[in-house]
Amino acid sequence: TSPFAWLRTRFYYLLIRLYFDQEFSIEEFTRGAKQAFSVVSKLLSQRKLDLLEELVSAEVLQVLKEKISLLPDSHRDALAADVDAIMYTTEGDVRIYYDDDGIKFVSILMCFWYLNGANLPDEVPGEAKVFQIVFGDENTREKKHLLTANYEFQREFTEGAKPDWTITRIEHPRLLE
C-alpha cells in the first residue's frame, strides 16, 4: 500500500469513529472480516448459496448463483479459505457516502491472501501464474496455492438501521470470473 493510501484509509477510520461509530476498531473489523470471508468462501465452495442470504447482498448472490454453477470442481474447491490459512489481510479502499435519500453508508474493501490445497493447474485461464508453495520433505510433499480474494463489506449507518455488515462484492481473481 502506498503511504498516501495508508494515510487516506486512516483518515476515513477517524471519520467513522467521529461521525458514525465511536466504538469502531479496524483491528476488530478485520478479525470479523476474516471470519466472514472464511465462512462465505467455504459456503461458496460447497454450493450452499441459500445460506448466504443474510451475509451477502441480493445482487451479489444472484451473480454468484450464475457463476458457481459454471465452475469446474477444482476452481470451486479453491474458493474455500480456512481462517488459519489466511496469510495476509489488508484494507483496499474505504468509502463513506450518502444516497439521494440521505441514507449513510460505509464500505470497506478487504483483500485476502490465503493458502489452498485444491488441485489447480499450474496455469489458469487468462495466462496468469498461480503461486505454488510446497511443504514437507520429498516423502510428504504437499502443494498449496497462494490465492487472493477481495470482499467488500458495507454497513448502513442511518439511525435505526441494523448494525450488520453486508458483503456487496466478492472477487476471487482467476477463479470466479
Side-chain angles (χ1 to χ4, degrees):
T1 307
S2 74
F4 175 73
W6 185 86
L7 282 172
R8 189 175 143 266
T9 58
R10 296 307 177 258
F11 176 71
Y12 276 113
Y13 297 149
L14 176 64
L15 291 177
I16 292 168
R17 277 193 297 276
L18 289 174
Y19 295 106
F20 299 105
D21 182 0
Q22 294 175 352
E23 304 293 317
F24 180 80
S25 157
I26 189 56
E27 294 81 13
E28 184 178 323
F29 175 83
T30 300
R31 277 192 296 279
K34 283 173 136 176
Q35 189 68 38
F37 164 61
S38 178
V39 168
V40 169
S41 68
K42 288 177 187 175
L43 291 172
L44 285 174
S45 177
Q46 298 165 1
R47 293 185 181 165
K48 294 182 179 178
L49 301 179
D50 54 320
L51 299 177
L52 295 175
E53 290 180 8
E54 296 293 318
L55 304 170
V56 177
S57 72
E59 298 83 14
V60 171
L61 192 55
Q62 184 59 40
V63 170
L64 289 172
K65 286 178 180 178
E66 295 168 13
K67 289 183 176 184
I68 291 292
S69 65
L70 302 174
L71 282 183
D73 288 344
S74 62
H75 283 81
R76 194 172 37 88
D77 293 342
L79 296 175
D82 288 325
V83 171
D84 296 337
I86 301 171
M87 305 306 295
Y88 184 71
T89 304
T90 189
E91 313 89 38
D93 190 24
V94 179
R95 292 182 292 145
I96 298 172
Y97 56 97
Y98 298 81
D99 73 1
D100 293 337
D101 298 325
I103 299 174
K104 301 179 269 188
F105 292 97
V106 171
S107 90
I108 302 174
L109 178 66
M110 297 297 293
C111 307
F112 303 96
W113 284 261
Y114 64 102
L115 290 175
N116 182 289
N119 188 20
L120 290 174
D122 290 343
E123 296 291 329
V124 292
E127 300 179 16
K129 184 73 174 161
V130 173
F131 293 99
Q132 297 178 17
I133 301 169
V134 178
F135 295 97
D137 59 22
E138 291 182 21
N139 297 328
T140 61
R141 295 180 71 119
E142 181 183 6
K143 183 170 71 169
K144 299 253 184 187
H145 299 278
L146 181 61
L147 303 169
T148 62
N150 303 310
Y151 280 48
E152 183 178 59
F153 296 84
Q154 183 182 82
R155 180 176 165 195
E156 181 181 342
F157 278 95
T158 308
E159 189 173 325
K162 293 192 311 187
D164 298 333
W165 290 90
T166 302
I167 298 170
T168 55
R169 183 167 80 187
I170 294 178
E171 297 172 343
H172 284 264
R174 297 180 284 282
L175 295 174
L176 192 60
E177 294 183 342

